[in-house]
Amino acid sequence: MTADTTTLDASAPRLEVDALIDDPHTRIVVCCGSGGVGKTTTAAALGVRAAERGRRVVVLTIDPARRLAQSMGISELDNVPRQVKDVDESAGGELHAMMLDMKRTFDEIVEGHADAERSRAILENPFYQSLSAGFAGTQEYMAMEKLGQLRANDEWDLIIVDTPPSRSALDFLDAPKRLGSFLDGKFIRVLMAPAKVGGRAGMKFLNVGMSMMTGTLSKLMGGQLLRDVQTFVAAMDTMFGGFRTRADATYRLLQAPGTAFLVVAAPERDALREAAYFVERLAAEQMPLAGLVLNRVHGSGASQLSAERALAAAEALTDQRAEDTHADGADTADTRTASAAPAENNLEADGIVDLDAGKAGPRTAGGLSPAAAEHETPTSASAAQLAAGLLRLHAERMQVLARERRTRDRFTALHPEVPVTEVAALPGDVHDLAGLRAIGDRLAQNRTDTED
Amino acid sequence: MSRLHVVSGKGGTGKTTVAAALALALATEGRRTLLVEVEGRQGIAQLFETEALPYEERKIAVAPASDGAALRAAAGNGSGGEAPRGGGRRGGGEVHALAIDAERALLDYLQMFYKLGSAGRALKKLGAIDFATTIAPGLRDVLLTGKACEAVRRKDKNGRFVYDAVVMDAPPTGRITRFLNVNDEVAGLAKIGPIHNQAQAVMRVLKSPETAVHLVTLLEEMPVQETADGVAELRAAGIPVGGIVINMTRPALLDNGDLDIAARGARAGVAKALSQAGLGGARRGGLADRLIDPLLEQAREHAERVELERAEYAELTAIGLPTYELELLPEGVDLAGLYHLARDLRKQGPI
Ligand SMILES: Nc1ncnc2c1ncn2[C@@H]1O[C@H](COP(=O)(O)OP(=O)(O)OP(=O)(O)O)[C@@H](O)[C@H]1O
Ligand SMILES: Nc1ncnc2c1ncn2[C@@H]1O[C@H](COP(=O)(O)OP(=O)(O)OP(=O)(O)O)[C@@H](O)[C@H]1O
Ligand SMILES: [Mg+2]
Ligand SMILES: [Mg+2]
């Protein structure tokens, strides 16, 4: 049919998703992208697909939509992977999934690296409590930390990682470093100065400078906050090197050959601009990019009909209808109930909308639906109206398609080397395994036409 | 009427766009509004197609003369009897913009209160400023909200407010309550001292009727859910919630009612109509006939979405706040589009 206009240009190499997830050398897949583009959905869908194709998979999700989490059985935050039921395991695979609990992950690091008394002191420190509950970067750091743990377990042969809903996809790479450099930085040493530097003769001058500094800080923050910070820092002292070391180790893991990054983007200007930044950044960091997932792309089974022609035809039908109504008003009698006989149709028989109830949602019922509003039986006039409506809808769809294609082409022109797969926009949300399988099919199928 | 409008919402729903449109919409009748950005992303500059904003208030747009002058004049009389600026000229107003930078705000603040010019720089070298503005919990938010509140309260030498309204492009719903509720956080940490006092002063403004938090949403499950949760959280924290802005709405061209008709045997009629409109033969297998299945499939998807949107809409109205709607601009938001959205907001009454 019209594959030429609804699938990818030859210029963009295809991202072969099945080849990627089937490859036993692929051990980690990281889904990144800017906010709301479908990272969590993509990660979960890949997990289901890989498991049903025979791999032992764990998916680390971050803030999944409530219903999605429920349907995967991971709405409890217990910070350990749970096996997902109802996944087809006949190929020998399994799916485990978890939702990241960043505070818990932080607490576990503390508990794992300090004796009971010291870790209690840390966990109860008000400064620690604020820090672990989410200052800029904690979530990213803890996601990396958890990834490191999962990988160290060696219990799964494929780990799929979702990334936090940050403003920018780059935060995922930058935040842990920022935290690491703070925890290793000079400032920490200044804070610890009263405890550590005092007494060493050679440091005397420095010591004066530092106590002046802490004096200033104390004035600014209030003495008690500074004390909290200092106790915290002192208690954490032995662990600081650890943070940096582990952040570095995970970072190296991300550069390893078994890792594949998928950049998820919506076919919109901003999202693709972010995606382009991210692609460049990955290259600079020598991190392996598998490709771009262009999510929520629109297609049409009737793309041979252009928006312009569809609109012109709709107009012609509307004009004609105006004349017809004039000539014959009897057509509009309400005979809806008399004609309820089941008809040959290719539509789902659900939701027949009661238009009066529909008015509860004033915006969406806002006019523009004359055929339904009159509760007509199919007559030539209403058929013409319906046809006009279908054509207008089609014109709108074709405009969306054209816009999405332009945006995508801009990206491909910039990065012709990046393999791309397109995932059609489903009409509803994705919140169950069936939905995830549908996304998985589209991820692997590499086409945007929506017919079945 | 509130003077500090805080615009939040789920990521990507249009916070920056709506904040900018609102700042334009409020800048009629010679009023002056300040649009502030707190996340250091230069979203405002991009939107207004200007170069990156420095840490300095500057005029970035002139609002067009109001098309609802009468309405605006009435609203204006309510707000403390301030005469419009510009000698009663019925023209538009001005939008100023400021990208608040936490680090600069802290250095200014140190300078202001402690004359800490060089010590400030030394702190910066040590990474203390970095610590304070990016890592110390809450402090960064005190600085950002503090600067915005300062602009809200600032008066000129005649004792008139410098800005008639301040609109903040705020952090997303998930962080907004915590962001605005800095007081609890910081008072728990810094129990005394200037930071403590500053936090208290900021909080007084944020919890007063002078402030209104508006949430931007789409008619989709997650943003709507976040909006409902966000409103509950803000209310629990005692922060005044303003309205809900439903962004990127699309007209319902067809719904299940139409599809029902199609299902009841209109197929042949539709094929005939398409054919009459010049789209090929209506016979089975003819061009027009072959269009029907894909067109109906698109209509079915559309109807499903319309249904979903109705359900989400109902959930939003159940929250019981005023709602405003902004349509999806098919070509995206450029400067002209922004003025268009501002006009649409104005038409929907005072926000
Ligand atoms: N192809 C698709 N078709 C239809 N809906 C989709 C599709 N992909 C994702 N969605 C829906 O879009 C919404 C956002 O998706 P998701 O939560 O995966 O995004 P995200 O990138 O993880 O967002 P965040 O940055 O907030 O974490 C969800 O409601 C999801 O069901
Ligand atoms: N009414 C609208 N019609 C069309 N496009 C819109 C509309 N509102 C916003 N957009 C577009 O949607 C995208 C996101 O908007 P915007 O940047 O304002 O969202 P945001 O909530 O500030 O995002 P972030 O969470 O990343 O800060 C932008 O590309 C913007 O141009
Ligand atoms: Mg997510
Ligand atoms: Mg924004």
Side-chain angles (χ1 to χ4, degrees):
Chain A
M1 45 144 303
T2 53
D4 54 327
T5 50
T6 52
T7 52
L8 284 167
D9 292 340
S11 60
R14 294 183 166 200
L15 171 62
E16 301 294 345
V17 168
D18 282 342
L20 178 74
I21 57 177
D22 288 348
D23 183 350
H25 297 295
T26 308
R27 304 297 305 274
I28 295 175
V29 174
V30 187
C31 300
C32 4
S34 46
V37 291
K39 296 179 292 294
T40 305
T41 309
T42 303
L46 280 175
V48 172
R49 191 171 183 87
E52 298 194 333
R53 293 173 69 88
R55 300 198 70 185
R56 272 183 69 77
V57 189
V58 62
V59 180
L60 171 57
T61 66
I62 294 163
D63 287 342
R66 214 167 285 173
R67 278 161 76 195
L68 179 65
Q70 277 163 4
S71 71
M72 297 181 80
I74 52 167
S75 23
E76 267 167 71
L77 269 170
D78 54 6
N79 222 21
V80 288
R82 295 266 167 239
Q83 184 158 0
V84 180
K85 292 193 200 76
D86 303 324
V87 168
D88 177 3
E89 299 179 347
S90 56
E94 261 175 43
L95 179 63
H96 296 248
M98 66 171 287
M99 183 156 73
L100 177 77
D101 179 341
M102 76 178 160
K103 174 148 177 51
R104 186 99 166 223
T105 307
F106 209 152
D107 290 356
E108 283 166 6
I109 299 175
V110 171
E111 285 160 354
H113 288 81
D115 56 54
E117 193 188 332
R118 192 184 259 211
S119 56
R120 208 188 53 243
I122 297 176
L123 299 183
E124 282 171 3
N125 184 293
F127 180 77
Y128 170 79
Q129 286 170 358
S130 282
L131 187 77
S132 60
F135 72 105
T138 311
Q139 208 172 25
E140 283 82 359
Y141 184 89
M142 293 308 149
M144 283 232 193
E145 185 71 42
K146 200 78 206 172
L147 167 62
Q149 289 174 13
L150 291 173
R151 187 68 174 78
N153 269 355
D154 216 25
E155 201 179 314
W156 293 279
D157 56 34
L158 179 61
I159 304 171
I160 300 179
V161 198
D162 178 20
T163 50
S166 30
R167 309 177 260 141
S168 147
L170 295 176
D171 281 356
F172 181 65
L173 295 177
D174 290 335
K177 273 199 168 163
R178 233 176 8 237
L179 176 62
S181 69
F182 157 68
L183 292 176
D184 259 7
K186 281 190 223 147
F187 184 59
I188 283 285
R189 268 170 278 149
V190 174
L191 289 173
M192 291 195 290
K196 293 192 96 183
V197 189
R200 280 173 50 195
M203 299 289 278
K204 195 150 188 216
F205 173 72
L206 188 59
N207 202 8
V208 171
M210 287 207 175
S211 56
M212 216 176 78
M213 207 62 84
T214 41
T216 305
L217 286 171
S218 162
K219 208 157 51 166
L220 188 64
M221 305 201 281
Q224 159 266 334
L225 169 58
L226 183 62
R227 270 193 308 281
D228 281 344
V229 175
Q230 282 173 331
T231 342
F232 166 74
V233 165
M236 294 278 279
D237 188 21
T238 51
M239 297 175 50
F240 286 132
F243 278 111
R244 182 56 166 263
T245 314
R246 277 201 308 279
D248 287 348
T250 317
Y251 213 73
R252 278 196 304 278
L253 194 59
L254 295 178
Q255 293 170 321
T259 300
F261 279 84
L262 285 179
V263 178
V264 185
E268 285 155 14
R269 200 183 40 189
D270 290 7
L272 275 168
R273 192 191 301 131
E274 276 293 327
Y277 288 154
F278 200 73
V279 163
E280 286 151 26
R281 178 62 190 280
L282 285 176
E285 304 279 342
Q286 293 166 330
M287 291 186 172
L289 171 71
L292 175 76
V293 174
L294 208 50
N295 190 27
R296 301 186 96 162
V297 173
H298 292 85
S300 171
S303 52
Q304 71 272 27
L305 179 59
S306 73
E308 294 73 23
R309 273 193 77 202
L311 274 184
E315 217 109 285
L317 284 171
T318 316
D319 290 351
Q320 177 201 327
R321 208 242 159 194
E323 287 162 27
D324 287 358
T325 333
H326 222 70
D328 183 12
D331 264 3
T332 51
D334 188 351
T335 48
R336 181 188 176 112
T337 42
S339 65
E344 115 351 270
N345 77 62
N346 50 6
L347 300 164
E348 276 158 26
D350 57 3
I352 292 166
V353 187
D354 179 284
L355 251 283
D356 297 327
K359 293 217 169 70
R363 187 202 69 82
T364 42
L368 291 163
S369 186
E374 290 167 25
H375 289 207
E376 287 175 321
T377 33
T379 62
S380 65
S382 67
Q385 269 185 314
L386 184 53
L390 292 172
L391 289 167
R392 290 212 171 85
L393 200 58
H394 178 68
E396 198 187 58
R397 173 69 70 99
M398 291 307 287
Q399 282 156 357
V400 171
L401 241 75
R403 195 166 59 247
E404 290 180 350
R405 187 163 311 132
R406 278 198 304 275
T407 329
R408 183 204 66 197
D409 288 348
R410 219 172 297 147
F411 178 89
T412 357
L414 218 55
H415 292 288
E417 77 287 359
V418 176
V420 181
T421 185
E422 298 193 2
V423 176
L426 303 184
D429 281 316
V430 183
H431 50 248
D432 54 17
L433 287 182
L436 292 176
R437 285 193 192 100
I439 296 285
D441 286 343
R442 283 166 172 78
L443 274 165
Q445 240 168 37
N446 237 337
R447 42 170 234 178
T448 61
D449 30 359
T450 48
E451 350 139 82
D452 300 314
Chain B
M1 263 215 346
S2 34
R3 293 182 52 250
L4 174 60
H5 298 268
V6 177
V7 180
S8 179
K10 182 170 160 49
T13 52
K15 294 179 293 296
T16 306
T17 308
V18 170
L22 181 58
L24 270 176
L26 292 170
T28 51
E29 310 280 305
R31 284 158 190 279
R32 184 186 288 160
T33 61
L34 178 69
L35 177 59
V36 300
E37 174 168 58
V38 296
E39 302 241 273
R41 298 174 62 197
Q42 294 294 341
I44 294 176
Q46 270 177 35
L47 202 49
F48 284 90
E49 297 166 17
T50 63
E51 71 233 50
L53 295 171
Y55 181 53
E56 164 188 302
E57 289 157 39
R58 57 164 56 176
K59 184 161 93 181
I60 52 163
V62 174
S66 169
D67 38 19
L71 190 111
R72 223 57 20 219
N77 287 341
S79 63
E82 293 162 45
R85 247 171 276 273
R89 238 180 44 226
R90 311 232 86 194
E94 295 173 358
V95 178
H96 293 239
L98 170 68
I100 306 180
D101 175 72
E103 187 177 313
R104 284 286 306 275
L106 179 58
L107 289 175
D108 281 3
Y109 174 81
L110 291 176
Q111 179 59 25
M112 200 155 54
F113 289 95
Y114 301 101
K115 311 271 174 286
L116 272 185
S118 61
R121 277 195 297 279
L123 281 173
K124 185 173 169 159
K125 264 210 190 118
L126 268 176
I129 301 292
D130 236 22
F131 166 79
T133 55
T134 62
I135 293 176
L139 180 53
R140 176 193 160 79
D141 299 349
V142 174
L143 291 162
L144 297 173
T145 51
K147 182 68 193 172
C149 289
E150 181 271 319
V152 171
R153 282 172 299 174
R154 195 186 310 155
K155 294 190 172 170
D156 63 16
K157 55 183 183 303
N158 303 321
R160 286 202 321 202
F161 284 120
V162 170
Y163 293 109
D164 297 291
V166 175
V167 181
M168 181 195 282
D169 174 13
T173 331
R175 287 191 280 130
I176 188 66
T177 304
R178 216 166 162 223
F179 175 77
L180 296 175
N181 215 9
V182 283
N183 182 49
D184 279 355
E185 183 98 7
V186 170
L189 290 170
K191 296 200 175 66
I192 46 162
I195 292 182
H196 177 83
N197 298 341
Q198 166 80 357
Q200 294 283 7
V202 168
M203 229 39 230
R204 273 195 295 278
V205 175
L206 293 180
K207 288 197 171 168
S208 77
E210 256 190 323
T211 298
V213 182
H214 310 295
L215 295 174
V216 183
T217 185
L218 310 178
L219 286 175
E220 289 176 15
E221 183 186 350
M222 282 180 76
V224 167
Q225 186 60 55
E226 265 198 30
T227 303
D229 294 350
V231 168
E233 258 183 60
L234 287 163
R235 280 178 175 161
I239 297 168
V241 191
I244 295 174
V245 181
I246 305 173
N247 192 22
M248 306 196 213
T249 62
R250 287 167 291 190
L253 290 173
L254 284 172
D255 63 18
N256 277 332
D258 304 87
L259 290 178
D260 183 39
I261 292 171
R264 281 183 283 122
R267 198 192 154 93
V270 172
K272 211 168 121 218
L274 290 175
S275 179
Q276 272 166 12
L279 298 175
R283 282 163 296 104
R284 281 248 164 227
L287 269 178
D289 182 64
R290 270 186 287 147
L291 278 174
I292 292 194
D293 283 336
L295 290 188
L296 284 177
E297 171 60 19
Q298 282 173 197
R300 198 187 56 77
E301 285 175 15
H302 177 81
E304 191 179 334
R305 209 199 66 219
V306 168
E307 282 305 287
L308 222 102
E309 290 188 350
R310 276 186 187 153
E312 300 303 339
Y313 192 95
E315 230 165 274
L316 284 175
T317 44
I319 296 174
L321 288 169
T323 58
Y324 306 83
E325 294 177 22
L326 291 175
E327 65 187 5
L328 175 81
L329 302 180
E331 292 306 318
V333 184
D334 56 5
L335 206 48
L338 197 59
Y339 278 93
H340 180 116
L341 294 177
R343 212 163 37 239
D344 279 358
L345 268 182
R346 258 203 307 269
K347 274 195 229 136
Q348 298 177 55
I351 184 164

